[in-house]
Amino acid sequence: MPANLPPHYFEAEKRYREAKTPEDKIRALEEMLTIMPKHKGTDKLRASLTSKIAKFKAQAQQRKSTSKRETAYNIEKEGALQVAIIGAPNTGKSSLVASLTKATPEIADFPHTTWKPTPGMANFENIQFQLIDTPPITKDFIDPWMADLMRRADVLAILVDIKDDPFKQFEDTITVLNNLRIYPKEMPIPKDLSKKPFIKKALLVVNKVDTEKDEEDFEVFLELSELSITCAPFSSKTHKLKKPFLKKVYEVGEIIRVYTKAPGKEPDLNSPFIMPKDSTLEDLAGKIHKDFLEKLKYAKIWGTSVFDGQMVQKDYVLRDGDVVELHI
Ligand SMILES: Nc1nc2c(ncn2[C@@H]2O[C@H](COP(=O)(O)OP(=O)(O)O)[C@@H](O)[C@H]2O)c(=O)[nH]1
Ligand SMILES: [Mg+2]
């Protein structure tokens, strides 16, 4: 074959032939396109795949308006935050999840699992985040169940590729989100919406920042794009940006860690209670047990905003790192 296609192309082609829905056809065709080397010998074939994709997209769109058959992937939340890793094709979503967790979403091999959400747990200090790898979203195609997944997630990490056209990728993804009534918290929300918007904590992850030169490009991108959303550079090829990225996730997630202790004992600093920022002592008591909530009289706190062992009441607003001794 003149095009010199690798074996997994034919696996994708087999899936294409076997696919029963336009969505599955599109997925297989997009895989085939990604796998196919770009050169003169493949020009014709690529054009033919692209036009097939367009045809099935039109079909999928039509079906969506007539039927509401949806596969739901309800991924149970684990750890301190559930983070949906989303964005345009090839921005490195699977690589990010693979580099930070034990999950093994395929990056070059294109098995079926690439097209299902794949969760993995990432360690950050003494807590974990659940990162969910997802299929690509583009302006003309998104898996129907993705809306649910994104609306449920605690944080959306929007990936773009510094080596591609990050600004356009970001805008395209935002367009898709807005069409699903999903709005990053720090970005403008139209006032005249007829239905309730889903306002989400979100982080823009500028990916593939592998080298110092890429870091400069990232700085330029920040300056030129003047985005109001929190941004973090990342690279799955190097180690240095991993922890700073997870720290940004922690900050954007707006959570705090508090520790409880018994009188005269040391707190267990390995198992924090995760609370939303600005939670009160009363919220913590309720989280521990409803008996605590009813019987709580006061607490003693060790932390940055109080003196050691300071007595506080139920309305005390907890701070990150507080050690709490509850008294009933
Ligand atoms: N240079 C560089 N390439 C990356 C990085 N992350 C992913 N890639 C490459 O980008 C391509 C797409 O990666 P993948 O994780 O499958 O992207 P996805 O489609 O968003 O899941 C692959 O060839 C990866 O090797 C990165 O941090 N730096
Ligand atoms: Mg992927």
Side-chain angles (χ1 to χ4, degrees):
M1 163 151 262
N4 205 8
L5 298 165
H8 47 280
Y9 175 85
F10 298 99
E11 291 162 26
E13 190 180 41
K14 181 158 174 281
R15 281 202 291 284
Y16 165 67
R17 274 184 272 114
E18 290 168 356
K20 299 212 165 51
T21 63
E23 283 88 355
D24 289 345
K25 294 259 189 215
I26 293 165
R27 247 171 246 149
L29 287 166
E30 280 182 344
E31 288 181 33
M32 287 154 70
L33 255 189
T34 322
I35 298 165
M36 190 177 303
K38 280 194 189 119
H39 55 71
K40 263 215 145 0
T42 60
D43 276 359
K44 260 198 164 148
L45 195 49
R46 279 191 295 135
S48 137
L49 293 186
T50 310
S51 82
K52 280 191 184 126
I53 290 174
K55 190 185 88 188
F56 285 117
K57 277 179 177 167
Q59 268 187 29
Q61 220 62 39
Q62 212 176 16
R63 249 163 51 100
K64 229 177 29 192
S65 49
T66 50
S67 79
K68 243 204 145 180
R69 193 196 64 97
E70 285 186 17
T71 332
Y73 290 109
N74 192 355
I75 296 185
E76 205 176 310
K77 289 189 182 181
E78 276 183 65
L81 289 169
Q82 187 183 66
V83 186
I85 310 297
I86 61 168
N90 283 317
T91 46
K93 299 177 291 299
S94 302
S95 303
L96 180 146
V97 173
S99 78
L100 292 172
T101 75
K102 293 200 177 79
T104 52
E106 290 293 336
I107 290 148
D109 218 4
F110 306 98
H112 288 294
T113 51
T114 306
W115 303 103
K116 286 194 203 120
T118 310
M121 302 304 292
N123 291 317
F124 171 69
E125 297 174 352
N126 54 359
I127 55 175
Q128 292 194 311
F129 303 134
Q130 183 185 47
L131 308 183
I132 306 179
D133 183 26
T134 66
I137 56 186
T138 64
K139 271 211 293 205
D140 22 40
F141 183 73
I142 177 165
D143 281 278
W145 48 265
M146 275 289 285
D148 265 354
L149 188 146
M150 294 191 295
R151 287 167 179 173
R152 277 174 42 87
D154 300 312
V155 174
L156 301 178
I158 302 168
L159 262 67
V160 295
D161 180 348
I162 191 73
K163 300 181 203 294
D164 198 323
D165 188 346
F167 193 71
K168 177 164 190 310
Q169 290 177 331
F170 177 68
E171 288 212 308
D172 286 355
T173 303
I174 292 296
T175 305
V176 174
L177 294 180
N178 290 171
N179 288 340
L180 298 166
R181 284 185 288 127
I182 300 171
Y183 295 87
K185 198 178 159 195
E186 298 153 302
M187 296 186 68
I189 298 159
K191 295 216 160 57
D192 54 352
L193 291 170
S194 58
K195 281 177 159 175
K196 192 175 126 281
F198 296 84
I199 299 164
K200 303 301 295 184
K201 294 161 187 153
L203 174 65
L204 171 60
V205 184
V206 180
N207 199 18
K208 309 195 188 178
V209 178
D210 306 332
T211 62
E212 270 175 33
K213 165 78 176 54
D214 298 331
E215 280 174 39
E216 284 166 23
D217 290 347
F218 168 70
E219 294 302 330
V220 172
F221 169 78
L222 279 190
E223 245 167 65
L224 295 181
S225 58
E226 295 185 326
L227 295 167
S228 49
I229 190 169
T230 308
C231 298
F234 190 79
S235 163
S236 56
K237 308 272 181 206
T238 63
H239 191 70
K240 80 184 235 212
L241 296 172
K242 289 181 180 166
K243 204 169 167 196
F245 160 73
L246 292 168
K247 175 116 191 149
K248 280 270 164 69
V249 170
Y250 182 73
E251 287 163 7
V252 169
E254 297 182 342
I255 49 174
I256 55 167
R257 285 167 285 182
V258 298
Y259 307 85
T260 57
K261 74 185 268 309
K265 297 249 170 68
E266 289 300 313
D268 179 0
L269 296 178
N270 292 317
S271 50
F273 281 91
I274 312 287
M275 309 287 296
K277 218 171 159 179
D278 297 327
S279 294
T280 61
L281 178 61
E282 195 169 13
D283 298 327
L284 174 67
K287 184 155 177 154
I288 297 170
H289 199 278
K290 79 173 187 334
D291 279 0
F292 262 115
L293 184 59
E294 280 162 20
K295 295 182 186 152
L296 179 71
K297 295 212 179 71
Y298 68 94
K300 287 183 172 179
I301 306 272
W302 286 257
T304 49
S305 64
V306 291
F307 57 83
D308 279 357
Q310 184 172 331
M311 226 169 98
V312 298
Q313 305 301 320
K314 285 178 186 173
D315 59 354
Y316 168 77
V317 177
L318 294 160
R319 303 289 175 93
D320 195 25
D322 275 357
V323 173
V324 184
E325 186 181 284
L326 294 155
H327 288 263
I328 56 172

